[in-house]
Amino acid sequence: MTTTFPDVSISTERLVLRPFEDADIPAYTEMMNDEQITAWTTAPYPYTTADAEHWVRSAAPAQRTGGRGIALAVTEFLTQRLVGTVRLHHTDWRTRATEASYVTAPWARGEGYATESLLATAKWLFRDQRFERLELRTPADNTASQQVAQKTGAISEGVLRNAWIARTRAGDRGWSPVRTDLIVWSLLPEDLEGGTDHLAEFGYASFTELA
């Protein structure tokens, strides 16, 4: 049984989702220092160039080769500018289920990029990889992330109480941890079929990188 995802690129009308490259390091460093990303993720703060180099050159590739999931850089098709990331993790190969996380650069928010990239990933996951479940977990106060889940057609399944530690600004003292609930969402293959298949308008396609 296959237990790793292929080295893949996924394209839509506006975006290309691909493996990280060294050229992404400056933009990724800048993006990960955004306060909204700091607040809702476990990324180091401040996020240094060395952190980005470790992610791009080691940690992100190891997610795929180690069978844990896959991390994709989301870029604009026309400009090739980094607009965000989509990551699959906590992958269960026996049940063909995985969890998705996503972040978007501050300058790219409000354009629908997160929804578009997440839908493209879901379509590839269900159609090409024959997965049966994609799970999302959004902090209760992160309304932007919840809106992305809703726009993809994901179904809210319930709340994991007090299950996440977010961060909040603590004046001159930097950031302080704060506990919050997680809302659990799911997408299944049938959720993207027929009238709910949003990807026709995005020109979805995927191709596997040849070694």
Side-chain angles (χ1 to χ4, degrees):
M1 179 179 70
T2 300
T3 57
T4 58
F5 289 118
D7 196 7
V8 70
S9 290
I10 302 168
S11 65
T12 71
E13 185 175 301
R14 300 188 298 170
L15 302 173
V16 176
L17 288 67
R18 54 158 176 78
F20 281 88
E21 303 170 352
D22 274 8
D24 299 319
I25 289 172
Y28 189 71
T29 304
E30 180 181 358
M31 180 180 73
M32 295 304 291
N33 276 298
D34 173 64
E35 289 199 353
Q36 287 297 314
I37 293 175
T38 300
W40 298 117
T41 73
T42 60
Y45 184 85
Y47 199 90
T48 67
T49 298
D51 291 324
E53 289 172 345
H54 174 70
W55 171 255
V56 168
R57 297 171 181 171
S58 179
Q63 301 232 338
R64 186 186 71 81
T65 58
R68 298 186 299 275
I70 190 169
L72 297 170
V74 181
T75 63
E76 283 186 321
F77 179 78
L78 292 178
T79 68
Q80 300 182 29
R81 190 176 180 184
L82 183 72
V83 303
T85 70
V86 172
R87 182 167 69 100
L88 302 181
H89 52 110
H90 298 148
T91 303
D92 187 326
W93 291 94
R94 185 181 67 83
T95 62
R96 310 299 282 186
T98 191
E99 182 180 336
S101 300
Y102 42 91
V103 297
T104 305
W107 66 268
R109 291 171 188 156
E111 300 295 329
Y113 286 151
T115 302
E116 186 171 334
S117 59
L118 185 59
L119 278 169
T121 303
K123 176 64 76 172
W124 168 77
L125 188 71
F126 295 148
R127 177 187 293 173
D128 296 1
Q129 301 302 304
R130 300 292 188 253
F131 266 59
E132 296 293 336
R133 175 181 170 88
L134 179 61
E135 186 172 298
L136 315 172
R137 298 187 177 196
T138 62
D141 294 325
N142 190 345
T143 55
S145 187
Q146 292 169 37
Q147 288 172 356
V148 171
Q150 291 170 339
K151 288 177 181 178
T152 64
I155 304 300
S156 175
E157 295 183 332
V159 176
L160 300 176
R161 298 186 300 163
N162 223 25
W164 186 250
I165 299 177
R167 288 179 282 202
T168 185
R169 269 295 188 186
D172 294 337
R173 293 178 294 132
W175 294 87
S176 294
V178 57
R179 297 202 72 96
T180 185
D181 298 341
L182 285 177
I183 302 174
V184 180
W185 310 76
S186 68
L187 270 172
L188 305 183
E190 53 265 34
D191 296 329
L192 297 184
E193 292 174 357
T196 61
D197 188 348
H198 307 284
L199 287 187
E201 64 185 279
F202 295 140
Y204 161 84
S206 70
F207 61 91
T208 301
E209 299 285 354
L210 298 178

